[in-house]
């Protein structure tokens, strides 16, 4: 029932910026938190940033000071502003949502959007 659609990925040069967007749709009782994760080739998926329903944020140490997660509740959307991008930021970025559907907590994932940082 929960659908997450991501956009904004692409190719960018080191030092550049991208903004990822994720829109949630579906019949949902509540959204407890949303976030962004990424998976680089040959590596496990890792947390990038999360934002709770109350607005609390959490960032991976590797992106602190460079990435900013934000939300737009009216649109059930979450964004990731990525600045000062580095080659090591190259990965598929996945939107995540922790929701309650029909009284059942669940975790949903988007399809992923690829970010490539290269000169």
């Amino acid at each position: 029932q929960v659908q997450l659609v991501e956009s904004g990925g692409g190719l960018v040069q080191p030092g550049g910026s991208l903004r990822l967007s994720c829109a949630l749709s579906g019949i949902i009782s509540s959204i407890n938190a949303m976030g962004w994760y990424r998976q680089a080739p040959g590596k496990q998926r890792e947390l990038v940033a999360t934002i709770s329903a109350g607005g609390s944020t959490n960032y991976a140490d590797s992106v602190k000071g460079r990435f900013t997660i934000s939300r737009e509740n009216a649109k059930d959307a979450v964004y990731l502003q990525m600045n000062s991008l580095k080659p090591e930021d190259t990965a598929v970025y996945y939107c995540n949502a922790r929701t309650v559907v029909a009284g059942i907590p669940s975790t949903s994932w988007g399809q992923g959007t690829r970010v490539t940082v290269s000169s």
Side-chain angles (χ1 to χ4, degrees), residues 6 20 22 32-39 45-53 55-71 78-82 89 92-98 108-109:
E6 298 137 319
L20 305 183
C22 175
N32 294 329
M34 297 187 73
W36 292 93
Y37 293 71
R38 67 186 181 187
Q39 187 167 19
R45 189 173 300 183
E46 64 176 355
L47 180 147
V48 177
T50 61
I51 184 166
S52 72
S56 298
T57 58
N58 184 45
Y59 296 92
D61 288 341
S62 60
V63 306
K64 286 182 178 178
R66 300 189 298 119
F67 291 9
T68 302
I69 188 170
S70 61
R71 60 181 177 147
V78 64
Y79 307 92
L80 185 68
Q81 179 65 47
M82 304 185 294
D89 294 319
V92 176
Y93 285 70
Y94 297 90
C95 182
N96 168 269
R98 290 192 278 117
S108 300
W109 296 91

